[in-house]
Amino acid sequence: MNGTKQILMGLVLAVGLMALPRALAAAGPVSVELGSAAPFTILAGSEITSTGPTALNGDLGLWPGTSVTETPPMTLNGTRHITDSVASNAQVALTAAYSDAGGRSATISYGAIFDLGGLTLTSGVYNGSSSFAITGTLTLDAQGNPDAVWIFQAGSTLATASGGSVVLPNGAQARHVFW
């Protein structure tokens, strides 16, 4: 009887271990560590330009540049860090995070100037050979997983149209979306 129990336990363990890689793959990528860059809604290197009503929830940072143009002035629910040590340290952390996210293997690769509007995407790494656009609604569906992560790797730019939006249903969180 003990031999039968050992065989059954071994089979259960083997089946569980075979399912583990599939479960880990379904979980999607792990989050990107932002470090001291995390409190920033905008963290730029050369200049910041806002044309139109803009409200930001988080810090605004610029290093090493000095040009901030706001027409009309932005509403900022955070702290401005323009060419100070906080912005400088955040840029170092941002560079490390950028390298991490950029080095991830793509779940899906798209061709040049790909429009994400109208798509529903689950957790993953999405690579565009040149640019991404959002001309409609992009839905990032966490499928009930509050730790779901989306990483968008664009070769050049992200362009959003007036009325373009990103919707985060089913537990998706903005802090787990990286552009």
Side-chain angles (χ1 to χ4, degrees):
M1 190 75 160
N2 281 340
T4 303
K5 285 183 182 178
Q6 287 176 339
I7 291 171
L8 287 174
M9 290 299 287
L11 287 173
V12 169
L13 180 61
V15 169
L17 289 174
M18 289 185 330
L20 184 60
R22 236 178 288 134
L24 291 174
V30 296
S31 192
V32 176
E33 178 57 47
L34 295 176
S36 62
F40 289 85
T41 299
I42 294 177
L43 181 58
S46 60
E47 64 183 74
I48 296 171
T49 303
S50 173
T51 58
T54 302
L56 302 175
N57 292 314
D59 293 351
L60 174 76
L62 180 62
W63 175 270
T66 58
S67 175
V68 180
T69 305
E70 307 170 56
T71 310
M74 290 184 269
T75 301
L76 179 63
N77 298 311
T79 304
R80 288 177 188 268
H81 294 282
I82 310 302
T83 66
D84 66 8
S85 63
V86 174
S88 174
N89 291 335
Q91 280 291 0
V92 171
L94 180 61
T95 299
Y98 182 84
S99 295
D100 173 23
R104 305 278 182 101
S105 297
T107 304
I108 296 177
S109 294
Y110 298 108
I113 312 173
F114 188 81
D115 186 3
L116 298 167
L119 296 181
T120 298
L121 301 176
T122 57
S123 181
V125 179
Y126 299 91
N127 180 278
S129 64
S130 67
S131 302
F132 281 125
I134 303 175
T135 61
T137 300
L138 168 61
T139 303
L140 303 179
D141 187 350
Q143 299 180 320
N145 178 3
D147 295 321
V149 172
W150 293 263
I151 298 172
F152 294 89
Q153 305 165 328
S156 174
T157 58
L158 169 65
T160 58
S162 179
S165 64
V166 179
V167 177
L168 305 171
N170 300 320
Q173 299 181 43
R175 66 188 180 108
H176 292 302
V177 180
F178 302 91
W179 298 96

